[in-house]
């Protein structure tokens, strides 16, 4: 703009002489106006583009008209008009170029007509003929139109191309920015993913470490309860984790526990709950039932449907067993405390009282031989009978007060029943005794005296109960059932009133003699009140149970349930032990004074599948001597031993030289059971089984202690 202004100013300066000479002041005015417009456009930039273009084109058109009007059509004026049309097309477009050409055509036609007719500019040089003028005018207009339209189209095309280029450049820039943004986003996402993967890997490593080393049973199930993960702790149930994958979670559960867990599963599928705490039971591979307590957590999909269930359970079987043993021990302790006074009195008085009874009984019996008077004989017989009753009362009191450990030996329960029948033959006169023995009943490992005493008490109760029955009947029945020996004594006597049936095991409780308010027994029948107490005590000491079924005026049935202890392992037990046993060929010291028990234990330890080397000792002194001479891997130790030293003395002697050898105590002594609980807390290498114990439990306890020794030794090495 500045260059054009300077050029126009110099041009006007040089043309000033011509303007004055030719008297072309109109042209000078137009030029000055053009220079003024340039100055305005230069220093006033806020004028709109359309106004600038319009004024510029009008200026061109005015200059062209002024030049033609001043110097004629053959001057430089047509060039300005030519430029006017071209610039119109360039600056505004084809429509403006067309209008500019039309304006040029009209103006030049008017000027040509006026000059040709002599009405204007006769002094200007002009064409010689009309044909030359028309031809020149048409050629000018056509050339102007072609040039203006072509240039306009070219400029328009270039502008469109530029616009497209700019658009493309903007688009490419936008795409570039998008790519940069995407790149940054991807880099951030990759970084986040790497961090997530690292955290996940760390979490998986931690989870794997926890699940592989925890005692808890961790499992993950799909929405149909099928296993998709099982922790290695399931091997304690006999199942490898890969065995469980794909199986239903209900496969291992006890049938009665499936329904409540299914109900919780339905609630989880309906999204009513997301977490539950339940107690349930699971069967291991051998069918043994384990008690569990665990949490169940539901994981849901984004749409709300159940995705999976995470279960974390803890085996409470050993805890329940310990609690049960504790309750049993507390119960026994309570009974012992409750009847301590009876025991003290019975122990102090029994000897003197029996001596007194012996004197009375002996003299009464001698007097009966020489007494001629019938009335006196009857009195002596009454004295003699009462001394016998006193003797039985003392016997029951002493038996009840004693807390002795049962002596164990194998014997036939059927033969023992027959022995009792012979002993009570006189009392059973007039009673129909029915024997129902089963030939398949195995021998019983128990204290023969205690079992005999229990049977005598029960048969005597049946004899008394049938004393007023016209056709008295007593059924003696024995049979095996589910690894138990069942002994039943049934009568058709008076029965027991339902309101007192729960009291018959209490010491000193009786329904006979002065307590017989309804006349159920003969008047001369008396009761000590300690018979059923002793029966219960004897049977419970042998890990058995006593139950009573009675109906008033119809009869009573007493059922005794005792465990079967076999003399050797069964085929099934051997196969089961082969699957579980990992220790064999060990050197074992067996300390047991009961020949029957030591024979069985020696047999199962030395034969298949254990094949241990066993030394047997029956006294504490002999056991300590053997331990000092030989090296042993395990000690099976009875508590009650003959002579000077008991099992606890042997234990303390062993621990002086060997702190880690596993020791399994075998005893049913109440005093020992109480003391062993505190000892087990201090010594991890001991355990205890009460007599009588099952052979399989005996071997499992040995393997458990040997396994614990190996595990603790491995931890110390690590």
């Amino acid at each position: 703009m500045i260059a054009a202004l300077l050029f126009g100013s110099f041009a006007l300066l040089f043309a000033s002489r011509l303007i004055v000479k030719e008297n072309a002041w109109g042209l000078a005015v137009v030029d000055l106006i053009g220079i003024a417009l340039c100055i305005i456009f230069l220093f006033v930039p806020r004028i709109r583009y359309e106004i600038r273009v319009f004024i510029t084109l009008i200026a061109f058109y005015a200059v062209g008209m002024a030049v033609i009007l001043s110097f004629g059509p053959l001057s430089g004026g047509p060039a300005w008009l030519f430029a006017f049309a071209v610039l119109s097309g360039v600056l505004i477009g084809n429509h403006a170029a067309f209008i500019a050409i039309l304006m040029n055509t009209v103006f030049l036609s008017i000027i040509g007509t006026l000059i040709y007719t002599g009405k204007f500019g006769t002094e200007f040089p002009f064409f010689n003929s009309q044909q030359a003028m028309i031809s020149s005018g048409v050629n000018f207009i056509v050339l102007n139109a072609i040039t203006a339209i072509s240039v306009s189209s070219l400029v328009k095309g270039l502008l469109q191309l530029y616009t497209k280029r700019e658009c493309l450049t903007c688009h490419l820039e936008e795409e570039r920015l998008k790519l940069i943004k995407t790149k940054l986003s991807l880099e951030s996402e990759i970084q986040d993913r790497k961090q997530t993967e690292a955290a996940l890997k760390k979490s998986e490593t931690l989870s794997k470490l926890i699940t592989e080393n925890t005692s808890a049973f961790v499992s993950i199930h799909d929405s149909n309860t099928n296993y998709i993960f099982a922790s290695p702790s399931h091997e304690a149930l006999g199942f490898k984790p890969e065995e469980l994958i794909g199986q239903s979670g209900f496969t291992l559960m006890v049938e009665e526990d499936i329904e409540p867990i299914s109900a919780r599963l339905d609630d989880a599928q309906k999204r009513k709950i997301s977490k539950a705490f339940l107690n349930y039971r699971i069967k291991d591979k051998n069918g043994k039932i384990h008690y569990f307590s665990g949490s169940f957590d539901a994981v849901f999909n984004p749409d709300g449907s159940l995705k999976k269930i995470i279960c974390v359970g803890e085996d409470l079987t050993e805890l329940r067993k310990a609690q049960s043993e504790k309750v049993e021990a507390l119960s026994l302790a309570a009974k012992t405390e409750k009847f301590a006074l009876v025991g003290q009195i019975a122990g102090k008085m029994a000897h003197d009282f029996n001596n007194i009874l012996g004197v009375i009984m002996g003299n009464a019996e001698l007097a009966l031989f020489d007494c001629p008077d019938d009335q006196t004989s009857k009195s002596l017989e009454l004295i003699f009978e009462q001394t016998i009753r006193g003797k039985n009362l003392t016997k029951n009191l002493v038996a009840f007060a004693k807390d002795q450990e049962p002596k164990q030996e194998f014997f036939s329960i059927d033969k023992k029943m027959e022995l009792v029948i012979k002993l009570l033959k006189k009392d059973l006169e007039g009673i129909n005794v029915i024997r129902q023995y089963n030939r398949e009943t195995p021998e019983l490992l128990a204290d023969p005296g205690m079992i005999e005493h229990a049977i005598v008490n029960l048969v005597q109760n049946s004899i008394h109960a049938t004393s007023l029955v016209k056709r008295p009947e007593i059924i003696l029945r024995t049979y095996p059932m589910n690894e138990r020996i069942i002994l039943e004594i049934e009568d058709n006597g008076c029965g027991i009133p339902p309101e007192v049936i729960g009291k018959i095991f209490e010491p000193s409780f009786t329904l006979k003699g002065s307590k017989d308010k309804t006349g159920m027994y003969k008047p001369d029948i008396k009761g000590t009140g300690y018979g059923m107490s002793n029966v219960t005590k004897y049977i419970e000491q042998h890990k058995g149970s006593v139950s009573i079924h009675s109906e008033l005026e119809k009869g009573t049935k007493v059922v005794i349930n005792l465990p079967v202890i076999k003399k050797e392992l069964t085929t099934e037990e051997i196969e089961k032990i082969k699957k579980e046993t990992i220790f064999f060929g060990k050197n074992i010291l067996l300390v047991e004074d009961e020949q029957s028990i030591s024979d069985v234990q020696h047999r199962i330890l030395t034969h298949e599948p254990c094949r241990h080397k066993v030394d047997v000792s029956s006294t504490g002194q002999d056991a300590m001597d053997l331990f000092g001479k030989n090296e042993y891997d395990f000690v099976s130790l009875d508590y009650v031993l003959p002579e000077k030293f008991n099992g606890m003395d042997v234990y303390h002697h062993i621990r002086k030289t060997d702190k880690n050898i596993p020791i399994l105590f075998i005893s049913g002594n109440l005093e020992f059971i109480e003391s062993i609980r505190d000892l087990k807390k201090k010594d991890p290498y001991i355990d205890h089984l009460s007599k009588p114990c099952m052979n399989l439990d005996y071997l499992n306890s040995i393997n458990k202690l040997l396994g614990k020794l190996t595990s603790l030794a491995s931890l110390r090495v690590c």
Side-chain angles (χ1 to χ4, degrees), residues 197-252:
E197 288 176 353
L200 181 61
K201 187 176 181 180
K202 184 178 179 181
S203 176
E204 288 178 348
T205 303
L206 181 60
S207 298
K208 185 178 180 181
L209 183 65
I210 292 173
T211 55
E212 286 182 352
N213 293 278
T214 182
S215 61
F217 288 71
V218 182
S219 59
I220 302 176
H221 308 262
D222 60 21
S223 58
N224 295 320
T225 75
N226 295 326
Y227 278 93
I228 55 179
F229 171 80
S231 63
S233 52
H234 284 76
E235 293 180 0
L237 299 175
F239 297 97
K240 293 183 179 179
E242 53 268 23
E243 289 183 66
L244 298 173
I245 303 304
Q247 292 192 39
S248 171
F250 295 133
T251 303
L252 309 183

Side-chain angles (χ1 to χ4, degrees), residues 36-50:
L37 290 173
C38 288
I39 294 172
I40 292 171
F41 291 160
L42 180 63
F43 294 103
V44 186
R46 289 182 293 177
I47 299 175
R48 290 174 57 188
Y49 171 78
E50 292 83 357

